[in-house]
Amino acid sequence: MRVLVTGGAGFIGSHVVTALRERGHEPLVFDVREDPGADVRDPAAVGRALSGVDAVCHQAAMVGLGDGVADAAEYVSHNDLGTAVLLSAMAEAGVGHLVLAGSMVVYGEGRYECPRHGVVRPGPRAVADLDAGRFEPACPVCGDELSPGLVGEDAPADPRNVYATTKLAQEHLAAAWARCTGGSAVSLRYHNVYGPGMPRDTPYAGVASFFRSALARGEAPRVFEDGRQRRDFVDVRDVAAACTLALEAEAAPGVLRAYNTGSGDPHTVGEMARALAAAYGGPEPVVTGEYRLGDVRHITADSSRLRAELGWKPEVGFEEGMAEFARAGMREA
């Protein structure tokens, strides 16, 4: 299979390229890092790149929480305009299978349960609560403490920042393309991806990169809030394997199918910082109490659909992955 990998020279994309080659496919890298003319927002460049292609793995995106709304136009340009241009070119070229780099950020907060009111969806956390160190969302009905759980793919979307909004828009665009063309689309909603080759010293990387970059500078990782926020850290090679399986699978025509893509082994951000610092041999993490507006408290998802339908399972455990990541090289942003 000949696969165009947009963003194929990036962190996740480069691992997807390797995984495809190992399974006997022919990946074609389309990335401005290797060719300044390979901009996914350029219809002519994308059209040329799609010649002879069987499927597309769309990894090119502007990632991370960003800077409030100051860079909103840039996010929309890279993520949504770029996806729209790609999909239009795929329709014209007759390329009918897409695997999209989705994200768990489309859910906003994760799944919560109140002892009295069952499953509830708390709204965005108030600045006054965050300033006072009250980080846990409360029941929107009675104000009681909530228990976090796993969110499934059918949960309502509720993006809480600009980046999350653009990732949801990408899915809607892909779904519209699939309906119009009869193509098949898969969105893999990545959790907190980490691993070898992660970019360093950039405000647009994930929390694992922030901590690893700090350790490389001889500094203590700075853990926001109280460090008890729950996430699912998944190794980049497991994510690349999921992409490959999604490309190889026979997907239903005319629809977009979403899959949570996580390890299934949630940990707190504080636990991750301590594991990484211990493996690196660097300073102990510092819990700062700071916060980023737009961050959510807990988001961990149920990835059983991906396991059941595509036969995927993660191979790299948390302890093993963090120990390796502590020693692995990082790339410049």
Side-chain angles (χ1 to χ4, degrees):
M1 178 169 49
R2 204 162 189 243
V3 182
L4 182 69
V5 183
T6 70
F11 169 46
I12 298 176
S14 61
H15 285 276
V16 171
V17 167
T18 298
L20 286 168
R21 285 185 179 136
E22 287 175 348
R23 292 180 67 88
H25 302 297
E26 182 186 357
L28 305 176
V29 174
F30 187 84
D31 196 307
V32 291
R33 296 173 186 84
E34 291 196 349
D35 177 2
D39 190 328
V40 76
R41 296 167 294 180
D42 181 344
V46 175
R48 290 191 295 271
L50 286 169
S51 177
V53 163
D54 302 302
V56 173
C57 189
H58 185 30
Q59 302 292 321
M62 186 174 175
V63 300
L65 188 58
D67 185 22
V69 295
D71 45 13
E74 196 172 359
Y75 270 103
V76 171
S77 176
H78 282 88
N79 296 355
D80 299 338
L81 175 60
T83 300
V85 169
L86 172 66
L87 293 170
S88 296
M90 288 175 66
E92 186 166 344
V95 179
H97 189 35
L98 171 73
V99 172
L100 172 68
S103 175
M104 54 83 184
V105 295
V106 301
Y107 298 116
E109 288 285 354
R111 184 181 187 274
Y112 291 89
E113 192 164 348
C114 172
R116 287 198 281 169
H117 298 99
V119 176
V120 295
R121 293 188 63 80
R125 295 180 292 173
V127 171
D129 287 336
L130 295 169
D131 285 340
R134 295 188 294 268
F135 302 121
E136 293 288 346
C139 175
V141 181
C142 67
D144 279 358
E145 185 177 339
L146 300 174
S147 298
L150 301 180
V151 62
E153 289 91 348
D154 296 327
D158 186 16
R160 298 288 174 90
N161 55 61
V162 169
Y163 168 62
T165 302
T166 65
K167 296 306 290 184
L168 182 59
Q170 283 185 307
E171 288 194 357
H172 287 316
L173 288 165
W177 165 83
R179 285 193 298 272
C180 290
T181 65
S184 58
V186 170
S187 178
L188 297 176
R189 292 174 176 170
Y190 303 157
H191 277 256
N192 289 66
V193 186
Y194 72 94
M198 200 171 193
R200 61 175 295 170
D201 295 324
T202 166
Y204 295 98
V207 66
S209 173
F210 297 164
F211 294 163
R212 179 64 173 75
S213 297
L215 289 165
R217 297 192 300 268
E219 301 170 5
R222 295 175 59 81
V223 180
F224 280 14
E225 301 187 18
D226 58 5
R228 296 176 184 166
Q229 54 272 49
R230 286 160 52 92
R231 297 291 188 270
D232 185 324
F233 300 100
V234 58
D235 188 274
V236 65
R237 289 156 299 186
D238 286 330
V239 168
C243 290
T244 302
L245 288 171
L247 287 161
E248 293 173 342
E250 283 194 27
V255 297
L256 177 138
R257 185 69 164 160
Y259 295 96
N260 292 329
T261 308
S263 70
D265 182 25
H267 290 267
T268 68
V269 172
E271 286 173 336
M272 189 272 282
R274 290 191 294 272
L276 194 56
Y280 190 85
E284 283 286 311
V286 175
V287 178
T288 69
E290 298 172 82
Y291 64 85
R292 295 193 304 176
L293 199 63
D295 261 345
V296 298
R297 179 61 174 173
H298 304 294
I299 176 64
T300 55
D302 181 355
S303 299
S304 58
R305 176 187 288 181
L306 181 59
R307 295 170 185 249
E309 295 188 8
L310 297 187
W312 173 85
K313 66 175 184 176
E315 300 291 342
V316 183
F318 179 78
E319 290 78 11
E320 172 194 353
M322 287 298 156
E324 183 181 11
F325 181 47
R327 299 187 299 268
M330 300 182 76
R331 66 168 67 197
E332 296 300 319

